[in-house]
Every structure is written in structure tokens, then in C-alpha cells.
Amino acid sequence: MTTLFQLYSPIDSLKANIRQLASLWHTGDKLLLLADSIAYIDWLYAYVDEHNFDADSDENLSKLDMNQLYVLAEDLKLLAETSIINLNLADKKVQVLSQEDWVKLTLDVDKVVTL
């Protein structure tokens, strides 16, 4: 059973949301960053790494396949209009989805969970 996790998180709750995601994550799951959550992608990677190396944590997000990380083109465009952040999404292997691609993605998974 695969899940598409849609993460809409301000920076101040991103770390807690990563811990919650870790408790739910399974191999084959996908992660879509919504709205301005895209701007925190470097923090997302840092928090995933921190969580994976936490000796007190039972969950491990090391199976988070970077080919299963997505953003919506519309959200990216809005962020670019309000910010001058250079995200280098291509270097991070983040896939940019159109609305149609997003709908197809939701049909390819068993469930969708928004955090």
C-alpha cells in the first residue's frame, strides 16, 4: 500500500512534521511539498538526516527515495514571484508536477495524507 504524503508546513513545525512522517513512512511512499513548504526543502533534507541519525528514534526515513519527491508547478511559480530563492530543484531530483500530473499521481497511490 503506497501513500502520497502532502506536506504543508511552516518552518517552525517542519521538524515535528518530519517526525510524524517518519512514523508513517513506508518504502514506495511519495512526498509532495505544498505551497511555501518548497522554500524549506534544504531544511527538510537536514531534518530527515538528523532524524535518521538519532539513536533514540525507532523510525527511519532513509528509504525516502529522492525520485519520489514532488512540488507543484503552480506553487513553485507563486513562490518565485514572492521570493528570490534559488532552490536548485533539478540538483535535488525534485519532480515538478502540473495539475494534471498531480491528479495522475493521486490515482497511482492507495491513499493521500496531508500533514
Side-chain angles (χ1 to χ4, degrees):
M1 178 179 270
T2 59
T3 302
L4 170 62
F5 291 98
Q6 300 182 134
L7 182 64
Y8 181 67
S9 178
I11 190 68
D12 60 344
S13 59
L14 183 61
K15 193 173 195 175
N17 283 328
I18 294 301
R19 284 193 300 266
Q20 183 180 11
L21 178 64
S23 68
L24 303 170
W25 189 263
H26 295 96
T27 302
D29 288 346
K30 300 167 186 342
L31 179 60
L32 172 67
L33 300 178
L34 296 172
D36 55 349
S37 298
I38 301 166
Y40 311 125
I41 192 164
D42 291 327
W43 285 100
L44 173 105
Y45 285 126
Y47 290 150
V48 167
D49 286 344
E50 179 181 303
H51 185 85
N52 286 338
F53 291 106
D54 182 356
D56 295 330
S57 174
D58 294 333
E59 301 93 14
N60 188 327
L61 287 171
S62 62
K63 293 183 173 100
L64 177 67
D65 184 348
M66 293 306 135
N67 292 320
Q68 296 175 327
L69 188 58
Y70 305 91
V71 298
L72 295 174
E74 186 176 300
D75 288 347
L76 192 56
K77 181 180 175 186
L78 289 173
L79 182 64
E81 290 174 0
T82 61
S83 175
I84 53 171
I85 297 173
N86 184 3
L87 299 174
N88 295 322
L89 295 179
D91 292 344
K92 296 176 176 96
K93 299 179 183 173
V94 175
Q95 297 180 48
V96 179
L97 302 175
S98 67
Q99 288 293 326
E100 295 80 21
D101 293 334
W102 173 69
V103 170
K104 289 177 190 172
L105 182 63
T106 63
L107 297 173
D108 289 340
V109 297
D110 298 308
K111 63 182 174 177
V112 178
V113 174
T114 303
L115 299 174

